[in-house]
Amino acid sequence: MFGIESEILAMMKSKFTLFIPIILFIIVCFFLWRGLSLNPRELPSPFINKPIPQFTLPELYHPDQNFSSTELRGHVTLLNIFASWCISCRVEHAQLMALKNQRAVLIYGLDYKDSPNDVLKWLNKSGNPYERIGFDQIGNTAINLGVYGTPETFVIDKLGIVRYKYIGPITKDVWESELQPEVEKLARED
Amino acid sequence: MNIFNSPHSPYGHPLPQGERGNLFLTLTCFPFWSYGRRIVHIFAKKVFRSPLGRGDVFLTLNYFSSFTYRKKIAHMLAKKLSLSPLAGGDGFLTLNFFSFSTYRKKMAHMLAKKVSPSPLAGEGARRAGEGNKKHIFIFFLFLLFSPIIFAAPAQNIYNFNTVGQQNRFDDLTQNLRCLVCQNQTLAESNAPLAQDLRRQIYQMIQTQKSNQQIKDYLIHRYGNFVSYTPPLIPSTYLLWGLPGILLLMGIFIIRRLSS
């Protein structure tokens, strides 16, 4: 009686070892499949749910005035880091203009490592979607904001806290699927 | 890399340097091709007028991005070479990183054609007992040769008071990640952001900040991703623990097999 039971046990055991390779295969497949839907270039901002870092920059259109991070309060705002030399920024420009015309959200700009002549020429020609623009010529403010490429866009709530960050050009799709729900949610907060 | 003094020189004997003057030009990784163009112009001019009586020209054109532009350079060089006073000299042309292989072939043909009717088929060849054989070497060295080696010294623009500070700077930049080209360290990358961050690190070392403070400064802004050494936090337990787990599993399996 015991003899038969231990034989069955041994058989089950050897059958189980046969399955080890396929189990490992399934595990590896799972990780590889997961890897397909990850974008390793997109880094989560360490500032999510933290106040936007303090900065004070000259305002592009009024160099005698300052544009400071304290102005990003009281409304839900987008802080868009852009430059006139940045091709993707030109891609998103039309969408930003549309948002301004629809009064969907207040957009503030941070002009990253640019020449004042170039950027003014570009904005005067194709329109200025920004309420105010900080002019960051050396790029130190951008470093303090953890910017590593233009365009990047922070969604900032009424208390001046970063709630979302989008990296890359804002297209109509991106606005409707990612940023608009966020902005509308934040607008309902007190 | 000194082909001139090697027994394999096209002359069959070592070439005395100086007498024949060698010119090595390496144009690597220039970010603005217009800038590259300017250098090539200057270069071509120099060679044309130079006192390199029977000189040798090494030209390495790396990484040129505009395809039509490469063609123009090749034409220009071929012209200059055949007109040049490099009588008896050798033209070494190293074109790296060309992306169109058919084009490379075409260029080689063209150069061979241009060069052979030139006065280069002169004394040097006779001395080597090679008659009118071609003594022009066209080297196509791809990939491995170029950008990394030559691009690296470009960033040594910071002077430190002590060797210790220099070592710290090297150490830090080699262990922090460039956010733009994410498989390069801050030391290797020539992205504008990497240059800015190197400047920041330099300034922080000058103001007596500790290595930890500098790392914290970057991690605060860019997250843990910027560090090549991941911290020990819940999401990295598996990463740090896996080698140990695998080792234990290995020991376990070996013991099972040997018993």
Side-chain angles (χ1 to χ4, degrees), chain A residues 113, chain B residues 158 186 189-200:
Chain A
K113 295 183 88 165
Chain B
Y158 295 116
L186 278 186
S189 176
N190 268 326
L193 180 67
Q195 292 169 13
D196 289 352
L197 291 178
R198 284 201 294 268
R199 191 187 63 226
Q200 287 284 342

Side-chain angles (χ1 to χ4, degrees), chain B residues 242-258:
Chain B
L242 201 60
I245 295 170
L246 289 177
L247 183 69
L248 289 178
M249 274 170 66
I251 292 171
F252 179 73
I253 290 170
I254 286 168
R255 286 187 59 172
R256 279 292 294 275
L257 287 175
S258 60

